[in-house]
Amino acid sequence: MPTSFTVVPVEAQGEGRQRDGRQREEEEDEGDERDRGAGDGIARENSPFINSAELGRGNTYEGKNMALFEEEMDSNPMVSSLLNKLANYTNLTQGVVEHEADEDSKRKEVKGPRMGTFIGVYLPCLQNILGVILFLRLTWIVGTAGVLESFIIVFMCCACTMLTAISMSAIATNGVVPAGGSYYMISRSLGPEFGGAVGLCFYLGTTFAGAMYILGTIEILLTYITPSAAIFKVTDVSEEPEAMLNNMRVYGTCIIILMAIVVFVGVKYVNKLALVFLACVILSIIAIYAGVIKTAFDPPDFPICLLGNRTLSKRNFEVCAKFTESNNETRTTPLWLLFCDSSLLNATCDDYFTRNNVTEIQGIPGIMSGVLADNLWSAYSEKGSIVEKKDQPSVAGSEDSKMGGLPYVFTDIMTYFTMLVGIYFPSVTGIMAGSNRSGDLKDAQKSIPTGTILAISTTSFIYLSCIVLFGACIEGVILRDKFGEAVNGNLVVGTLAWPSPWVIVIGSFFSTCGAGLQSLTGAPRLLQAIARDGIVPFIQIFGHGKANGEPTWALLLTAGICEIGILIASLDSVAPILSMFFLMCYMFVNLACAVQTLLRTPNWRPRFKYYHWTLSFLGMSLCLALMFICSWYYALIAMLIAGCIYKYIEYRGAEKEWGDGIRGLSLNAARYALLRVEDGPPHTKNWRPQLLVLLNLDNEQLVKHPRLLSFTSQLKAGKGLTIVGSVLQGIYLDKCTETQKAEQNVKALMSVEKTKGFCQIVVSPNFRDGISYLIQSAGLGGMKHNTVLMAWPQSWKQTENRFSWKNFVDTVRETTAAQQALLVAKNIDLFPTNHERFTEGNIDVWWIVHDGGMLMLLPFLLRQHKVWRKCKMRIFTVAQMDDNSIQMKKDLQMFLYHLRLNAQVEVVEMFENDISAFTYEKTLMMEQRSQMLKQMQLSKNEREREAQLIHDKNTASRSAPAAEASVAAAVPEKVQMTWTKEKFVAEKHKNKDSNVSGFKDIFNMKPNQSNVRRMHTAVKLNGVVLNKSQDAQLVLLNMPGPPKNRKGDENYMEFLEVLTEGLDRVLLVRGSGREVITIYS
């Protein structure tokens, strides 16, 4: 495949064109080199190819073949220039390689990764999976749980990791996985919240794994290599466990400081020694298998001393007998002195010692001995119990005999099945080692699945076969002897090895050392990757490090957390902790694969085809089950930690859009829910105001009345649907930028006012149509608005106001036609903000006509918010001359009782009286103003028509004579528009005279009787409301409908103005025509 493309136009001919082609080819090659060197290896969300400025500059296309696309060349590069970058795109691994390159100053040219499946994935996984548990605890697990239950434990754990590896392979082969491994896969599949939570749990698991490996190193050192190196030494056997823990703490602290210094100074040496440590592990395993084969024909000599059926510790004696015969003289042995008070044959001895014989059996009878049948079943025990051989004859001693201080082999902890699962599981972790090195691989999408699954298959075979072989070769009491006390303090698995136990001891020592160093190398880089993503604000400091990128601060934190594990000091206590964190990580890898598969997102196209969502779901269930099997309280603590991190990221973290599966899941769930919601009005019991809030924007696209959103959040309290809409006047193609700016401003204000909802900006040639579009089309399916909230147009009397009274009245009519409720907030700028609190006052409801109960429901909803919580609700209704006001009050109180609403009730009587002169005057002024506006509008229209006619004349005079002739011939004479000066002056005077006569008529008008009656109602009602509710914090009023005759629209605005005059905060309410509140449960 060529490394660059040269595009030569078809018309290129001659030497000059050839020189140009060669020059362009050289420029393209240089551009390719620049682009190839620009990769920094850091995980990016956007494609490094599309919309690249460097790409556009490096490939200027001058030909004519693609002229149709030449205007798009700046943003969309030619495929020919793009393919080479796609094919040769590489990810540099973070951390070690960069460290080496920086130190060796060899970073002038980035070399492509060359590691294949075997070196890059298989061996690292093998090294991480096989380790400390295999050498130090597997024989003890087999002896305690028996071969069958041990087989079940190992099979469950290996099945869990195999299923996880299948899911991980699918994710890892679904595109390029930059260096970052499991954290990158989970965060990009499940989103930043899950990614951050699980990433930090995986980091904690890796850190505690380092502590476990260090504890294993010290255990091998102090128990099997140099027991004399112990700092805390005791003479009493009962105090020995505590002294061992203190030794672990001191040595562990020293080793972790030493390892941290090694990692800080020379990371590259850790990486280079990895193969040495792996070689130690492989040699140790080969030695075990060789020893098993040797036992078939020549079992090793490791005798065990038993007293009755009790196993004896061979630390303080060598001869396994009570006394010996020498020169016909019977002498007691050192064993006698351990059970008796003197060396004499008539000494007082332990009762059990007296009644039972001392016998010696072979600790490793061999694979052909049939000992497997004895080791099939479990032998769980309490802490401090003696390790006993089941089928050995024994005579019970007196119950009051003291066993402390006697040379028996005791169990150091209580054992049971679930506890052994927690201790064993860390031995199968490490399956992510291959995916963590994805940046180093030649073909990651092929190597990761193959190498990981092969490594798990190999290690599963090793573990399962070792269980059977240990059970078939080694005596049960030796298997249950955790520290090899019965075999002179040898490592139990070492007694089986060939040619010498030291092969296992030295190999396991170096492998645990190497694993600890690897954990201290990998964990800080994982923390640094999470910190650099910026999703967890409080750990961002750990994203910094040395100049070459080494995570210094993260290393210090890792060493500190590791020290916590060291202070616990017990390998058996630390293992379940890291099991929790690894299991949680694996569970979410399976969840990520299952979610992506079920959602069938278009981008989910893994090259690894042997996966299924049922396998991922089974793996996830198995991980969850193992968490609670290991330790239910550790599982709950780990989930609590992950949950706290999740909520913290959700609350404080940076918003990242990674195209994650959880977002896709939310969209699918929303789609399912919308399809389930019936596309019709909900039942009265479920009704709540779903608001469409109409906002006005100024010339800077800022919201004119922010208090409208405050009131929205107070009314909704985050419940139900809220759509915030606004209209921009113009054409959408010309207003794209302004639309985006307006949307950003509205969303920013919604965030400040804590209004949870959606924003919709509509561009329309006029505001009237834009509002109509919003009322008709806002919402989706069953999630449509049922109530419109808007502010009262304060400047409606100004003719130049863009939201004029005509638009307002038409909006009222349209909401009625759409069967939607309408809320109009008057004096909205006087409404409270979300930070204000009313400590007293009333919310007054004036219930004049029944509108479905909206007036009752709204105060109840408002009082749920802390702004209005301390306000009392009062309901006023109006009684006419023929009404029984006392009965009305009783009925209203009973109605409110059934509605479960607490409110004071008052019936206001309005008697018929004569229409006052003030009402006549008010009506007359209203009608005069209306008529004057019509005259002014008419004269304005006349002027516009005159200007249009003059424009037409000028346009016609500039036309070609031939065109004029043809038009004159075609158009009849009667429609010819020719204006002379005399005609123009005469028409002007004529219009002026008619206008003057029109204005004279206005002052001789008499008011319309219908308008007088309506004005009378408005004035009277306003007086009653002012009398009762002038000091109320909020007044809710029935909003009368607009007149059916559109000629009276401007009068309608005047009626509403008079009705609410003198009130500070008014909410005009117009119901939708259906019941919204019910007395039934």
Side-chain angles (χ1 to χ4, degrees):
M1 181 177 177
T3 55
S4 64
F5 293 94
T6 305
V7 183
V8 181
V10 177
E11 297 87 359
Q13 294 176 356
E15 294 181 3
R17 286 298 176 100
Q18 291 173 4
R19 281 196 301 272
D20 290 344
R22 284 195 297 272
Q23 184 178 354
R24 277 196 301 274
E25 185 175 0
E26 290 168 3
E27 288 174 357
E28 284 184 15
D29 288 340
E30 290 172 4
D32 289 351
E33 291 299 322
R34 284 194 302 271
D35 290 339
R36 221 175 282 126
D40 55 3
I42 295 174
R44 289 179 180 163
E45 310 316 318
N46 298 323
S47 168
F49 318 112
I50 309 299
N51 296 329
S52 171
E54 293 180 12
L55 196 66
R57 287 195 299 269
N59 295 278
T60 305
Y61 187 74
E62 299 173 356
K64 298 177 182 176
N65 290 340
M66 296 295 170
L68 187 61
F69 299 95
E70 63 185 6
E71 292 184 0
E72 300 178 25
M73 291 295 182
D74 291 338
S75 58
N76 301 331
M78 287 291 294
V79 172
S80 56
S81 60
L82 176 68
L83 285 177
N84 187 45
K85 278 81 178 174
L86 285 167
N88 293 290
Y89 173 62
T90 61
N91 288 306
L92 299 181
T93 176
Q94 289 179 329
V96 176
V97 174
E98 291 175 341
H99 182 90
E100 294 177 20
D102 184 76
E103 287 191 354
D104 298 339
S105 301
K106 293 179 180 178
R107 221 173 159 186
K108 293 179 181 176
E109 182 179 348
V110 178
K111 294 183 179 179
R114 296 184 179 180
M115 281 199 286
T117 304
F118 187 75
I119 298 292
V121 180
Y122 182 75
L123 290 183
C125 284
L126 217 61
Q127 179 192 356
N128 279 267
I129 295 172
L130 298 171
V132 63
I133 301 294
L134 171 64
F135 301 120
L136 294 184
R137 294 290 183 271
L138 190 59
T139 53
W140 173 70
I141 290 172
V142 173
T144 305
V147 172
L148 292 179
E149 289 186 27
S150 300
F151 200 90
I152 292 170
I153 290 172
V154 174
F155 182 80
M156 275 198 310
C157 296
C158 291
C160 175
T161 54
M162 179 61 81
L163 292 171
T164 304
I166 291 171
S167 300
M168 184 194 71
S169 299
I171 298 172
T173 57
N174 187 49
V176 178
V177 179
S182 56
Y183 162 68
Y184 184 90
M185 288 190 293
I186 295 170
S187 61
R188 271 55 176 183
S189 296
L190 293 180
E193 292 88 1
F194 276 110
V198 179
L200 284 176
C201 285
F202 191 56
Y203 162 75
L204 291 172
T206 309
T207 305
F208 275 104
M212 184 187 73
Y213 291 130
I214 292 169
L215 290 173
T217 303
I218 304 162
E219 186 176 310
I220 294 167
L221 179 69
L222 295 181
T223 309
Y224 307 113
I225 298 178
T226 57
S228 59
I231 297 171
F232 298 91
K233 298 179 180 180
V234 292
T235 53
D236 189 357
V237 179
S238 61
E239 296 178 2
E240 191 173 330
E242 188 61 36
M244 185 62 179
L245 292 180
N246 290 329
N247 285 321
M248 291 279 218
R249 293 181 181 110
V250 173
Y251 273 96
T253 304
C254 296
I255 288 178
I256 199 169
I257 292 170
L258 185 65
M259 283 186 174
I261 292 170
V262 170
V263 172
F264 179 77
V265 173
V267 181
K268 62 179 182 178
Y269 301 113
V270 177
N271 202 39
K272 288 176 179 176
L273 285 171
L275 285 177
V276 177
F277 299 138
L278 178 61
C280 293
V281 175
I282 293 172
L283 284 174
S284 301
I285 291 169
I286 292 171
I288 292 171
Y289 281 110
V292 169
I293 295 169
K294 184 175 177 293
T295 62
F297 52 87
D298 184 17
D301 183 29
F302 280 102
I304 308 166
C305 193
L306 299 176
L307 175 63
N309 65 350
R310 296 176 178 178
T311 311
L312 297 176
S313 173
K314 273 194 169 183
R315 289 189 176 181
N316 299 317
F317 67 94
E318 293 182 1
V319 180
C320 183
K322 292 183 179 181
F323 35 76
T324 58
E325 296 285 342
S326 177
N327 299 326
N328 294 324
E329 183 181 355
T330 303
R331 292 182 180 179
T332 55
T333 60
L335 179 61
W336 179 278
L337 288 173
L338 294 174
F339 286 91
C340 302
D341 57 2
S342 72
S343 59
L344 300 175
L345 290 173
N346 60 353
T348 305
C349 298
D350 178 74
D351 187 47
Y352 187 86
F353 181 77
T354 306
R355 296 185 181 192
N356 290 277
N357 296 323
V358 176
T359 55
E360 196 171 53
I361 62 170
Q362 277 298 325
I364 302 178
I367 196 169
M368 307 299 291
S369 64
V371 75
L372 178 64
D374 298 332
N375 293 329
L376 279 177
W377 311 108
S378 61
Y380 300 119
S381 58
E382 297 290 328
K383 181 179 178 180
S385 58
I386 300 171
V387 176
E388 299 177 344
K389 184 169 170 57
K390 297 175 185 176
D391 55 352
Q392 192 74 9
S394 171
V395 179
S398 59
E399 295 181 1
D400 60 347
S401 61
K402 296 181 180 179
M403 291 186 294
L406 297 178
Y408 294 125
V409 177
F410 295 97
T411 55
D412 62 333
I413 56 174
M414 184 174 70
T415 53
Y416 44 92
F417 180 80
T418 57
M419 187 266 289
L420 295 181
V421 175
I423 291 174
Y424 173 75
F425 187 81
S427 66
V428 295
T429 58
I431 62 173
M432 301 288 187
S435 63
N436 289 346
R437 298 178 179 222
S438 58
D440 292 330
L441 302 173
K442 188 184 298 181
D443 185 359
Q445 298 193 2
K446 177 184 176 184
S447 297
I448 289 176
T450 309
T452 306
I453 292 172
L454 273 178
I456 294 173
S457 303
T458 305
T459 53
S460 299
F461 172 78
I462 291 171
Y463 283 127
L464 292 170
S465 62
C466 280
I467 285 172
V468 177
L469 294 175
F470 290 163
C473 294
I474 306 174
E475 185 61 54
V477 289
I478 296 293
L479 289 173
R480 292 192 292 280
D481 182 6
K482 186 186 286 186
F483 302 109
E485 295 177 50
V487 285
N488 302 318
N490 280 303
L491 183 62
V492 174
V493 71
T495 60
L496 183 63
W498 180 86
S500 166
W502 286 100
V503 175
I504 298 288
V505 172
I506 301 300
S508 59
F509 177 77
F510 281 115
S511 72
T512 48
C513 272
L517 280 171
Q518 291 281 4
S519 296
L520 280 181
T521 305
R525 279 162 181 75
L526 178 60
L527 182 63
Q528 187 181 43
I530 299 170
R532 284 182 172 175
D533 263 347
I535 58 174
V536 188
F538 72 86
I539 66 165
Q540 286 188 359
I541 186 174
F542 299 110
H544 306 297
K546 291 197 291 188
N548 57 10
E550 284 303 302
T552 310
W553 293 108
L555 177 61
L556 289 175
L557 180 66
T558 303
I561 296 174
C562 208
E563 178 64 19
I564 296 173
I566 297 296
L567 293 176
I568 294 173
S570 171
L571 186 76
D572 302 322
S573 300
V574 172
I577 296 174
L578 65 103
S579 294
M580 290 303 116
F581 292 126
F582 278 120
L583 278 167
M584 187 170 289
C585 178
Y586 296 165
M587 181 176 72
F588 281 102
V589 169
N590 285 300
L591 175 63
C593 182
V595 166
Q596 297 278 25
T597 308
L598 288 172
L599 289 179
R600 299 176 183 174
T601 51
N603 193 51
W604 180 247
R605 303 185 301 274
R607 286 192 176 277
F608 180 76
K609 300 298 180 185
Y610 306 103
Y611 70 94
H612 195 267
W613 69 267
T614 52
L615 293 177
S616 300
F617 188 78
L618 181 62
M620 183 181 71
S621 305
L622 193 54
C623 288
L624 188 62
L626 283 173
M627 284 177 70
F628 283 92
I629 286 172
C630 292
S631 174
W632 64 267
Y633 49 89
Y634 277 166
L636 291 177
I637 291 170
M639 287 181 168
L640 181 65
I641 292 171
C644 290
I645 297 169
Y646 179 94
K647 295 306 291 182
Y648 177 80
I649 295 171
E650 189 179 53
Y651 178 66
R652 288 291 308 276
E655 292 184 5
K656 301 281 184 181
E657 178 50 63
W658 287 333
D660 52 88
I662 293 298
R663 181 172 174 80
L665 189 64
S666 301
L667 290 172
N668 262 28
R671 171 184 164 274
Y672 176 78
L674 282 171
L675 291 174
R676 292 274 298 175
V677 173
E678 55 187 88
D679 192 6
H683 192 273
T684 304
K685 288 186 286 188
N686 298 328
W687 195 94
R688 67 166 63 245
Q690 316 282 21
L691 291 182
L692 168 63
V693 185
L694 298 178
L695 292 181
N696 286 341
L697 304 178
D698 59 17
N699 294 330
E700 298 296 323
Q701 315 309 329
L702 296 173
V703 178
K704 275 189 174 180
H705 304 294
R707 299 285 178 95
L708 199 60
L709 285 181
S710 303
F711 183 69
T712 303
S713 61
Q714 293 159 23
L715 184 63
K716 300 289 289 180
K719 304 293 190 298
L721 175 72
T722 302
I723 302 172
V724 180
S726 188
V727 179
L728 296 181
Q729 190 168 2
I731 305 298
Y732 182 68
L733 287 176
D734 302 332
K735 295 279 186 178
C736 281
T737 308
E738 293 179 30
T739 304
Q740 293 174 359
K741 183 182 177 182
E743 190 169 347
Q744 289 174 359
N745 292 341
V746 172
K747 284 183 176 178
L749 186 61
M750 288 173 69
S751 176
V752 170
E753 298 294 343
K754 297 181 180 178
T755 305
K756 296 180 180 179
F758 308 98
C759 174
Q760 189 168 351
I761 306 295
V762 171
V763 180
S764 172
N766 60 71
F767 292 97
R768 167 73 187 77
D769 292 343
I771 293 169
S772 178
Y773 300 156
L774 281 173
I775 292 173
Q776 292 176 62
S777 62
L780 182 65
M783 287 295 285
K784 290 183 72 71
H785 63 278
N786 55 28
T787 306
V788 176
L789 172 62
M790 60 194 299
W792 172 263
Q794 297 287 359
S795 53
W796 67 272
K797 295 182 180 180
Q798 300 175 11
T799 55
E800 298 302 322
N801 179 25
R802 64 182 191 178
F803 192 74
S804 63
W805 53 269
K806 269 193 174 298
N807 290 342
F808 177 82
V809 178
D810 285 339
T811 302
V812 176
R813 284 198 175 98
E814 287 197 347
T815 54
T816 305
Q819 295 184 332
Q820 295 171 5
L822 176 65
L823 308 178
V824 179
K826 192 176 180 193
N827 301 326
I828 185 62
D829 294 329
L830 299 178
F831 276 59
T833 63
N834 288 328
H835 303 293
E836 295 180 42
R837 302 287 181 274
F838 288 136
T839 55
E840 57 181 2
N842 300 311
I843 299 177
D844 286 356
V845 176
W846 284 85
W847 192 22
I848 300 165
V849 294
H850 182 59
D851 59 350
M854 276 282 286
L855 282 167
M856 308 292 178
L857 188 61
L858 291 175
F860 169 77
L861 294 175
L862 279 175
R863 291 180 68 236
Q864 305 301 309
H865 196 274
K866 49 196 170 184
V867 173
W868 304 91
R869 189 165 294 155
K870 294 187 178 179
C871 292
K872 294 178 180 178
M873 180 176 168
R874 297 193 303 182
I875 296 182
F876 297 90
T877 189
V878 176
Q880 300 296 322
M881 181 70 72
D882 300 332
D883 296 328
N884 184 342
S885 57
I886 297 174
Q887 188 61 40
M888 279 180 67
K889 185 172 182 178
K890 288 180 180 179
D891 293 342
L892 183 54
Q893 286 174 335
M894 182 59 67
F895 181 58
L896 290 177
Y897 175 78
H898 287 310
L899 288 177
R900 291 92 63 201
L901 294 176
N902 294 321
Q904 298 176 17
V905 174
E906 189 170 340
V907 177
V908 179
E909 296 178 345
M910 278 183 62
F911 300 111
E912 290 289 340
N913 56 0
D914 294 334
I915 297 172
S916 64
F918 172 77
T919 303
Y920 271 107
E921 183 182 355
K922 195 84 175 171
T923 311
L924 185 59
M925 288 174 61
M926 176 187 74
E927 292 189 354
Q928 286 176 344
R929 178 182 174 278
S930 174
Q931 190 64 30
M932 192 178 297
L933 285 173
K934 285 181 181 177
Q935 292 289 350
M936 290 171 65
Q937 187 66 28
L938 185 64
S939 61
K940 180 182 177 183
N941 291 341
E942 288 292 338
R943 289 196 301 272
E944 288 175 354
R945 192 179 298 119
E946 291 170 9
Q948 183 62 40
L949 290 174
I950 294 170
H951 173 71
D952 293 344
K953 178 190 172 190
N954 292 337
T955 305
S957 66
R958 287 195 295 269
S959 302
E964 287 182 5
S966 62
V967 170
V971 179
E973 189 176 351
K974 63 181 179 180
V975 296
Q976 188 175 359
M977 297 179 184
T978 307
W979 282 79
T980 62
K981 185 177 180 181
E982 292 78 10
K983 281 185 180 181
F984 182 76
V985 171
E987 187 69 23
K988 189 175 179 183
H989 284 295
K990 177 184 172 185
N991 287 335
K992 186 185 292 186
D993 294 341
S994 64
N995 287 340
V996 170
S997 63
F999 282 121
K1000 285 180 180 177
D1001 293 340
I1002 288 173
F1003 297 107
N1004 298 324
M1005 287 178 61
K1006 289 186 177 180
N1008 183 287
Q1009 288 302 310
S1010 174
N1011 288 340
V1012 171
R1013 286 199 311 274
R1014 291 180 182 179
M1015 182 64 75
H1016 176 66
T1017 304
V1019 170
K1020 283 216 59 171
L1021 263 179
N1022 177 252
V1024 171
V1025 173
L1026 277 177
N1027 183 36
K1028 297 287 185 179
S1029 303
Q1030 190 163 16
D1031 298 327
Q1033 303 291 7
L1034 179 65
V1035 177
L1036 283 83
L1037 271 169
N1038 280 118
M1039 181 178 180
K1044 294 181 180 179
N1045 184 2
R1046 289 177 177 267
K1047 292 181 180 179
D1049 285 357
E1050 62 273 22
N1051 299 339
Y1052 172 69
M1053 296 295 291
E1054 193 71 49
F1055 295 145
L1056 293 181
E1057 191 76 66
V1058 171
L1059 180 63
T1060 57
E1061 194 173 2
L1063 298 171
D1064 288 339
R1065 303 183 192 92
V1066 183
L1067 187 66
L1068 294 170
V1069 180
R1070 184 160 174 75
S1072 60
R1074 65 183 305 273
E1075 293 295 328
V1076 300
I1077 195 167
T1078 178
I1079 63 174
Y1080 300 106
S1081 61

